[in-house]
Amino acid sequence: EKDTLFNNESIDILKNIMLSEEKSNIKIYGKTGTYKQENGWFVGFCEKGDQKKYFAVYLDDKKNATGKMAKEIASNILSCMK
């Protein structure tokens, strides 16, 4: 039984587009966003073998917050996943 209406080929295409980083046996997938250089986010999931972890990093700073910064934070945290 499928958990989604989308076929496997469509899911694989989307995952290839979202693949942000691959370190040893961990793959990080996600999407960044920035609003007026004061809000930044990176949301997605990571895979290690059959394990999947979902995450969202949101930054709120009137001076400087970007999606790129949120992505770097997520990458540092997720690369420590054992």
Side-chain angles (χ1 to χ4, degrees):
E1 186 174 309
K2 292 177 85 173
D3 291 25
T4 179
L5 300 174
F6 301 101
N7 65 41
N8 289 337
E9 181 182 2
S10 296
I11 292 169
D12 289 341
I13 290 169
L14 182 58
K15 283 178 70 175
N16 283 332
I17 292 168
M18 291 178 61
L19 183 60
S20 169
E21 191 172 334
E22 193 169 356
K23 289 184 176 179
S24 52
N25 59 345
I26 297 173
K27 292 181 180 180
I28 300 173
Y29 302 87
K31 174 70 177 102
T32 60
T34 301
Y35 176 72
K36 293 187 178 183
Q37 296 298 113
E38 55 188 58
N39 300 105
W41 57 90
F42 183 59
V43 296
F45 64 98
C46 66
E47 290 180 329
K48 180 180 179 187
D50 291 339
Q51 285 186 321
K52 228 179 243 186
K53 306 277 185 188
Y54 298 88
F55 64 85
V57 174
Y58 174 73
L59 305 176
D60 182 7
D61 184 336
K62 299 288 184 218
K63 295 179 184 175
N64 189 24
T66 65
K68 182 180 177 184
M69 294 166 78
K71 181 179 174 182
E72 289 172 8
I73 291 168
S75 176
N76 288 335
I77 293 169
L78 295 170
S79 66
C80 297
M81 190 172 106
K82 302 260 179 197

